[in-house]
Amino acid sequence: MSAAFTALILFLCTGALVPVNRQFRQTPDGILVFVASNGTHTDVVVPLQVPHTQGASWFRHLPDSSFHSRFDAYEYAAFGWGSEKFYLASYNQQVPGPATVLRALVPGPTLMHVRFLRHAPPAGTHVVAVHISPAQYQLLTAQIEAAFQSDSLNRYTLRTAAGYTANDFFFRATGRYHALRTCNDWTVRTLRRAGLRVPLKSPLAAPVLHQVRQAK
């Protein structure tokens, strides 16, 4: 085993234990956002509309006006970044095979997975609720917006007509997915740049939830 490979493994293992933005404190009565996981993958969950902020107006970026009429009464949306190959191989509740997993380890195209939620997700083992300030919310939504590919009219580019259900969709994303830049690393970078407490580096979901949960 080479010294470089050993150093990489140590970095990945210890990075999950080292918090950044450890000074972060929740904002009483602030904007409620969530970090949610299915056990392996993490999403950032934010309100679709927040009065009196300059955060994202999600519907104006969507390519079809029907999105607004369909989901206007929904309260939250979950955003996750990941490998196009892995996402599309997961349709119909399929578990991607070893070949798909191995192909995802080398740089490849990415998608943003967007799920519309009628209500805020209930906090629990795999869902962490955090109250943040309007300024942090603006930074957070700006990071999420930057992950989407947009057309000349600044509308997100839909990859497929449907997602896993009637309430989720895949859009083309920026960046390349590979072994050192995973879906959970995207969540870490997105939250870190908004000032929230996260691990230094984590390809896994559990350390992300753990560090966010430590915020007072």
Side-chain angles (χ1 to χ4, degrees), residues 70 91 93 113-116 161-170:
R70 291 171 63 186
Y91 269 89
Q93 298 184 333
H113 184 216
V114 181
R115 292 184 295 121
F116 292 95
Y164 301 141
T165 71
N167 298 333
D168 70 287
F169 303 88
F170 288 106

Side-chain angles (χ1 to χ4, degrees), residues 154-174:
N154 201 27
R155 296 176 304 191
Y156 301 150
T157 306
L158 194 63
R159 169 60 175 82
T160 57
Y164 301 141
T165 71
N167 298 333
D168 70 287
F169 303 88
F170 288 106
F171 295 84
R172 296 193 182 278
T174 58

Side-chain angles (χ1 to χ4, degrees), residues 12 15-17 182-186 188 199-208:
L12 292 176
L17 302 175
T182 67
C183 55
N184 297 312
D185 284 318
W186 175 83
V188 166
L200 174 65
K201 178 77 172 176
S202 181
L204 303 177
V208 182

Side-chain angles (χ1 to χ4, degrees), residues 94-183:
Q94 296 294 312
V95 177
T100 300
V101 174
L102 289 174
R103 284 197 297 270
L105 297 179
V106 298
T110 55
L111 298 175
M112 283 295 288
H113 184 216
V114 181
R115 292 184 295 121
F116 292 95
L117 308 176
R118 288 190 179 274
H119 305 290
T125 303
H126 296 296
V127 178
V128 182
V130 187
H131 287 88
I132 62 176
S133 70
Q136 290 165 336
Y137 175 77
Q138 290 176 37
L139 291 171
L140 180 62
T141 55
Q143 291 300 317
I144 296 172
E145 286 185 310
F148 285 88
Q149 286 189 25
S150 300
D151 63 17
S152 59
L153 298 177
N154 201 27
R155 296 176 304 191
Y156 301 150
T157 306
L158 194 63
R159 169 60 175 82
T160 57
Y164 301 141
T165 71
N167 298 333
D168 70 287
F169 303 88
F170 288 106
F171 295 84
R172 296 193 182 278
T174 58
R176 307 285 283 179
Y177 184 102
H178 52 77
L180 298 181
R181 180 160 290 187
T182 67
C183 55

